[in-house]
């Protein structure tokens, strides 16, 4: 596990984008695992800027998103499919057929999750980007999730619903209670994993993640023994660390 400490959100977004651009340049047909939430927005802005200025191409890139809320149509402005198109896919030359986000409105969610896992099995992820929830969740793998879990239908905890209400007019009632999420085992199968963490609200979980032994109580800590795992944290997120 490598920890890179940076000054602030802008620096984090630039460094993380450069790592991703480098990976895409080295392997133009790379399979990327992508994340949503507020944290990667700046990173995606930098990818778009780089595409416009330097022409890094995504034509041969395949992507798999970590998760999707159950019950939200792709056109819903808080669906992760909408988020990805709005923040990244609509602004680069990626091929729509190569883009994968679990479907939150299929007739059979359990089957949808199985199919998604199968598709990832057939297209192993080279580079997985992730963020972290205030309770340590990755994707929507909440505390207590097994290290070998695969893509499945998951229940959001009250703390995650409360944290994500800010994206739903501040109204917890509007936040879906279930999602389809890659499992921790799915994420661990990626060849390289990059976790980006920003802001004071994450300082407590960062301390647990970095200073305590790996445990199911902090899902992100189950990545600590991955052979190619990097964490980028800004000063605010690192503010409670002993050193
Ligand atoms: C959601 C997503 C996670 C994300 C987390 C943190 O719950 N499922 O993938 O990491 O939010 O989001 P933010 O970056 O907005 O703090």
């Amino acid at each position: 596990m490598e920890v890179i400490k940076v000054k602030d959100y802008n620096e984090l977004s630039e460094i993380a984008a450069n790592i991703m651009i480098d990976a895409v340049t080295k392997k133009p047909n790379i399979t990327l695992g992508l994340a949503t939430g507020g944290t990667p927005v700046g990173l995606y802005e930098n990818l778009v800027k780089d595409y416009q200025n330097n022409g890094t191409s995504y034509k041969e890139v395949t992507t798999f998103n970590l998760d999707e809320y159950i019950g939200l149509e792709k056109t819903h402005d808080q669906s992760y499919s909408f988020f990805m198109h709005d923040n990244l896919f609509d602004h680069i030359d990626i091929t729509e057929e190569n883009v994968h986000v679990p479907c939150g409105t299929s007739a059979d969610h359990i089957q949808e999750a199985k199919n998604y896992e199968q598709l990832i099995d057939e297209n192993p992820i080279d580079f997985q980007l992730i963020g972290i929830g205030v309770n340590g969740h990755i994707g929507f793998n909440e505390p207590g999730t097994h290290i070998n879990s695969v893509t499945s239908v998951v229940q959001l905890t009250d703390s995650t619903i409360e944290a994500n209400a800010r994206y739903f007019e501040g109204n917890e009632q509007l936040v879906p209670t279930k999602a389809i999420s890659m499992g921790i085992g799915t994420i661990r199968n990626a060849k390289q994993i990059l976790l980006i963490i920003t802001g004071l609200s994450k300082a407590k979980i960062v301390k647990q993640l970095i200073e305590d032994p790996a445990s199911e109580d902090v899902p992100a800590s189950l990545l600590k023994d991955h052979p190619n795992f990097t964490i980028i944290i800004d000063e605010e997120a690192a503010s409670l660390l002993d050193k």
Side-chain angles (χ1 to χ4, degrees):
M1 176 176 86
E2 186 193 4
V3 179
I4 303 175
K5 290 187 185 159
V6 299
K7 191 170 176 306
D8 56 18
Y9 183 64
N10 282 343
E11 197 179 341
L12 174 135
S13 302
E14 263 173 43
I15 291 180
N18 288 340
I19 293 174
M20 284 191 74
I21 293 162
D22 200 41
V24 173
T25 307
K26 282 200 182 111
K27 186 175 180 187
N29 65 346
I30 194 168
T31 299
L32 297 175
L34 297 177
T36 52
T39 309
V41 170
L43 183 167
Y44 293 147
E45 271 170 20
N46 284 312
L47 293 189
V48 172
K49 257 189 248 160
D50 164 74
Y51 169 73
Q52 289 165 348
N53 298 336
N54 308 317
T56 305
S57 177
Y58 295 80
K59 268 202 179 102
E60 295 173 54
V61 172
T62 297
T63 67
F64 286 93
N65 263 81
L66 281 167
D67 48 11
E68 180 61 284
Y69 288 113
I70 284 183
L72 299 192
E73 297 287 346
K74 287 186 188 352
T75 49
H76 189 290
D77 66 0
Q78 289 309 324
S79 79
Y80 287 161
S81 182
F82 184 94
F83 173 102
M84 287 310 303
H85 285 85
D86 195 35
N87 284 284
L88 183 65
F89 300 152
D90 288 352
H91 312 288
I92 57 175
D93 64 345
I94 200 154
T95 313
E96 184 62 31
E97 298 86 75
N98 294 347
V99 157
H100 304 93
V101 182
C103 175
T105 53
S106 71
D108 183 342
H109 301 306
I110 294 175
Q111 192 56 48
E112 168 67 16
K114 278 189 190 150
N115 295 348
Y116 200 73
E117 181 73 21
Q118 173 78 31
L119 212 53
I120 294 173
D121 250 10
E122 290 161 11
N123 300 274
I125 294 173
D126 295 297
F127 184 106
Q128 177 69 56
L129 173 71
I130 56 172
I132 189 170
V134 284
N135 63 358
H137 75 229
I138 49 174
F140 271 126
N141 296 287
E142 300 284 23
T145 307
H146 194 271
I147 189 167
N148 291 330
S149 55
V150 296
T151 306
S152 57
V153 174
V154 295
Q155 184 77 38
L156 274 56
T157 60
D158 291 346
S159 112
T160 296
I161 292 173
E162 194 189 319
N164 289 6
R166 68 191 194 279
Y167 299 119
F168 291 83
E169 305 162 28
N171 184 349
E172 289 178 25
Q173 303 298 322
L174 297 178
V175 184
T177 56
K178 287 186 179 162
I180 292 178
S181 177
M182 279 187 202
I184 295 175
T186 323
I187 296 169
R188 281 172 57 89
N189 279 340
K191 291 182 195 121
Q192 180 178 357
I193 305 173
L194 177 65
L195 167 58
I196 52 175
I197 318 181
T198 178
L200 281 178
S201 69
K202 304 280 170 70
K204 212 167 143 219
I205 200 69
V206 162
K207 187 172 173 64
Q208 269 177 272
L209 168 65
I210 293 183
E211 294 175 0
D212 296 351
S215 136
E216 280 182 3
D217 296 341
V218 179
S221 72
L222 300 176
L223 305 177
K224 285 172 94 158
D225 66 343
H226 186 282
N228 193 343
F229 176 41
T230 305
I231 308 177
I232 310 182
I233 37 175
D234 67 8
E235 276 176 9
E236 286 190 354
S239 58
L240 294 178
L241 290 176
D242 288 341
K243 52 181 172 68

